[in-house]
Amino acid sequence: MLDAEIVAFLEACPMAALVLDAVGTIVFANAGARELFALSGPPRNLAVSDLIPDWPLSAAASQPLIVTGAGHRRDCRVSVMTWPSAHGILTAVLIEPESEDRHAAVAAREANLRLRYVIEMLPEAVCVFDAGDRYVLWNEKYAELYPDIADHLKPGIAFEEILKISLASGRMPEVVEDQDMWLKQRMRKFRQPVSQEEQQLQDGRWLRHDDRRTPDGGAIGMRIDISELKQREERLRQLFDANPMPMLLCDGSSLQILQVNRAAIDFYGFAKATLLSWRACDMHVESEADRFADGLLELEGDCEARTVWRQRVADGTERHVLVYVRLLHEGLERRLLLTIADVSDRILAEAEANRLARHDMLTGLPNRMCFYKALDEALKMNCGKGIAVFCLDLVPFRRDSDGLSYRKIGSASGCTSN
């Protein structure tokens, strides 16, 4: 039914080949087809649908086939061609089973496409490197961020070479003073397992370089715009430093002072370096330091100042203060923000007011209120037993030429209590 030349051609074909008649009956199968479909001999009255259940095939380049000898499906590349013959229209089906290598290549290509799709969706600039620090992938945002090297980006180019191109262009976005030193430090950090670095750009923006090594030795880099974060940090720093109240930022676990503002330096009178070497309790008087430290360590929330503490400043004097505490969290770290209110003048004024309430303003001697209080306290002790009271009348005053003096008149009297 087939010409000898066609049979010879199909037998020499490296692919499995089937020839079908007009109704789909297999009239020829070469050695490759007989092996693929586990046919013991030439096919006789065997329909192509017995071997390929999805027949007739669509125009797709790959179709699943049934291998009759083993009964399982395989992915194959299939080509179909037809031609007229003396016995009618004949169809040749050329079948190339997919190899494991081809499967791996297709899977890798699909994974690459999925990865590219993912990184294009990310809001940050992203680049991917192989174990040799060569570019593999990057998204459009990365190319837009670095227009100076966008035309030079290609798979396989080394990261260090791109940095050198950027430095030589004179259009590098980053602020760089010493190019050689910057390049060495940048590559050293890039080769670390995890590297984070903040970099200012020429236009005033800030980027965070976040590079992480992958298990295969490659790396994934992200470039995150942190300009807004830096602006907020700067505003907070200015508010902290310009605050007229002394302020201390401390570690919540060790109580080590991490930062002080200008008002705190002026209040305590010590150099900034000295204060940063102390704990938050070190300026308290010795009798109160441990109690203050324990209170900070046990703190579970913000603390409004209710206790007056005593602290010493650089000139050796003692100051009375109220301490307001705010509990902050920086990631997993616990921080304490202490605001110091100097109430020394108020404490002295209150002490003086209390003294004046119990002492005569002119003579400085205890007055009647002080006497009654002392008498009341004395009577409460030992039920008032063993107490003697002696009264001396010193009235009236008279003015002599040399000042005020007392003139004693009347008599003295005494009473005792048994």
Side-chain angles (χ1 to χ4, degrees):
M1 186 173 182
L2 295 178
D3 294 339
E5 292 181 358
I6 294 178
V7 171
F9 170 77
L10 294 177
E11 285 292 0
C13 180
M15 297 184 292
L18 299 175
V19 178
L20 318 177
D21 62 16
V23 297
T25 301
I26 300 174
V27 297
F28 173 79
N30 69 357
R34 293 193 296 272
E35 179 181 357
L36 176 63
F37 293 104
L39 301 176
S40 57
R44 299 183 183 279
N45 299 321
L46 186 63
V48 66
S49 58
D50 294 334
L51 302 181
I52 307 176
D54 297 327
W55 188 269
L57 303 177
S58 66
S62 177
Q63 292 290 337
L65 303 180
I66 291 294
V67 179
T68 56
H72 60 269
R73 302 174 77 88
R74 294 184 63 181
D75 287 337
C76 299
R77 293 175 61 84
V78 180
S79 299
V80 179
M81 62 183 69
T82 60
W83 72 93
S85 71
H87 303 284
I89 300 297
L90 297 178
T91 300
V93 182
L94 304 178
I95 306 162
E96 181 182 10
E98 295 281 15
S99 66
E100 292 185 2
D101 291 342
R102 183 174 180 80
H103 271 299
V106 170
R109 186 165 57 252
E110 292 177 349
N112 185 285
L113 290 174
R114 284 193 293 271
L115 178 59
R116 178 173 292 279
Y117 178 73
V118 169
I119 67 173
E120 286 295 348
M121 290 179 61
L122 294 175
E124 295 86 11
V126 180
C127 48
V128 181
F129 303 89
D130 63 15
D133 294 341
R134 296 179 291 265
Y135 279 86
V136 176
L137 290 172
W138 57 91
N139 62 2
E140 190 65 27
K141 293 181 180 63
Y142 185 85
E144 292 173 355
L145 182 60
Y146 298 105
D148 55 317
I149 50 99
D151 294 338
H152 301 276
L153 287 174
K154 59 183 179 181
I157 190 169
F159 178 55
E160 186 171 3
E161 183 178 349
I162 283 291
L163 293 182
K164 291 178 179 178
I165 292 173
S166 180
L167 289 169
S169 71
R171 297 185 296 121
M172 191 175 199
E174 287 91 344
V175 176
V176 177
E177 296 180 358
D178 187 327
Q179 294 189 359
D180 292 337
M181 181 62 68
W182 182 88
L183 181 61
K184 291 178 181 178
Q185 292 178 348
R186 184 73 188 89
M187 290 305 301
R188 178 179 58 80
K189 292 179 180 179
F190 176 72
R191 294 186 177 112
Q192 295 175 355
V194 178
S195 172
Q196 286 188 342
E197 179 183 16
E198 294 181 356
Q199 178 73 59
Q200 188 175 17
L201 303 186
Q202 301 282 358
D203 60 6
R205 291 181 299 154
W206 282 84
L207 287 183
R208 184 170 71 228
H209 296 173
D210 192 336
D211 299 311
R212 298 171 185 268
R213 287 287 160 177
T214 56
D216 63 354
I220 297 178
M222 299 185 70
R223 307 294 178 258
I224 305 169
D225 191 330
I226 58 170
S227 302
E228 186 175 346
L229 177 62
K230 295 293 287 187
Q231 290 173 0
R232 288 200 301 268
E233 289 180 351
E234 179 61 20
R235 287 195 291 269
L236 289 174
R237 187 196 66 78
Q238 291 178 0
L239 287 173
F240 175 81
D241 200 52
N243 197 303
M245 299 285 286
M247 302 182 76
L248 312 172
L249 181 65
C250 310
D251 181 85
S253 299
S254 67
L255 303 185
Q256 181 69 39
I257 298 176
L258 304 175
Q259 191 57 269
V260 296
N261 67 351
R262 169 52 56 184
I265 296 173
D266 294 341
F267 175 70
Y268 290 109
F270 294 101
K272 182 176 182 179
T274 301
L275 292 174
L276 294 180
S277 68
W278 287 0
R279 299 169 70 224
C281 56
D282 288 346
M283 57 277 294
H284 285 253
V285 296
E286 187 175 353
S287 60
E288 297 181 357
D290 290 342
R291 183 161 60 93
F292 181 74
D294 292 341
L296 291 181
L297 293 173
E298 295 171 359
L299 199 64
E300 295 181 354
D302 295 344
C303 176
E304 298 298 331
R306 292 187 175 88
T307 302
V308 176
W309 303 92
R310 291 180 297 144
Q311 295 182 338
R312 294 195 183 279
V313 295
D315 63 6
T317 59
E318 188 175 290
R319 308 295 292 176
H320 292 81
V321 300
L322 292 172
V323 182
Y324 298 84
V325 186
R326 292 291 178 266
L327 180 60
L328 309 175
H329 293 281
E330 295 180 2
L332 298 178
E333 300 295 332
R334 184 173 180 267
R335 300 284 186 255
L336 299 174
L337 180 63
L338 278 59
T339 302
I340 314 300
D342 184 7
V343 294
S344 301
D345 292 342
R346 191 192 82 185
I347 297 298
L348 292 176
E350 290 176 353
E352 180 63 12
N354 289 332
R355 190 190 70 81
L356 292 175
R358 291 172 171 79
H359 293 76
D360 181 77
M361 183 180 298
L362 181 61
T363 64
L365 297 173
N367 61 12
R368 181 179 300 178
M369 182 181 295
C370 186
F371 166 73
Y372 285 147
K373 182 179 180 181
L375 179 60
D376 184 62
E377 292 176 351
L379 291 174
K380 291 178 181 178
M381 298 177 61
N382 300 321
C383 298
K385 294 180 180 180
I387 296 177
V389 179
F390 183 78
C391 297
L392 179 64
D393 191 358
L394 295 176
V395 292
F397 287 110
R398 70 180 177 86
R399 181 180 298 275
D400 293 334
S401 60
D402 58 348
L404 291 177
S405 65
Y406 292 109
R407 181 169 57 88
K408 178 182 176 182
I409 63 173
S411 61
S413 64
C415 66
T416 61
S417 175
N418 294 322

